[in-house]
Amino acid sequence: MVQQELEPADYLLGRKTFEMWAGYWPEHGDFWPGINEGTKYVFSKSMKKSDPIVTGWNNSVVIRNVADIKKVKNSKGADIHVWGSSKLVQLLLKNDLVDELRLKIHPLTLGKGKKLFDNGTIPAAFTLTESIVTPGGVIIASYKRAGKVKTGTIEV
């Protein structure tokens, strides 16, 4: 399951995540070769196509709005992965642009923090397709979109 995440793909990243990654991955791609080969779409209203951080990391493209995200999503090509980028994920959930969720649930609480499902997330059903629990208790679960939400009883 974790190996799937390292397979070649394109990436949609928020500006902050992109900046962190662009400072690391170009020099450390031996662990994850696909990260440097895939297209990196950075969602930002402030970055420019010509910013050195964008031009310095191969295959990086600045996109500015939901319409741009929809164009990328509807184009042919590799799967699009989103890593980190919590505000971007909330925007995708709000605009019904998520086909699959891969969650890593760690056995700890940190108090206040970023929320994955925040105000504006539209109701959507997902089906568990795969899950594992690591020896350290981290739950890694993959969910695929399953259409509209069906209410009723909890199945155990």
Side-chain angles (χ1 to χ4, degrees), residues 19-32:
E19 288 175 346
M20 288 186 290
W21 284 30
Y24 180 81
W25 284 113
E27 303 301 322
H28 299 89
D30 52 328
F31 172 74
W32 187 5

Side-chain angles (χ1 to χ4, degrees), residues 29-69:
D30 52 328
F31 172 74
W32 187 5
I35 190 63
N36 289 320
E37 296 166 12
T39 301
K40 278 75 64 186
Y41 297 97
V42 55
F43 184 79
S44 174
K45 295 181 193 245
S46 62
M47 293 180 93
K48 295 179 175 39
K49 294 178 193 179
S50 60
D51 282 351
I53 196 165
V54 174
T55 58
W57 194 13
N58 294 344
N59 308 322
S60 296
V61 177
V62 175
I63 59 175
R64 301 207 178 283
N65 54 48
V66 172
D68 291 340
I69 294 171

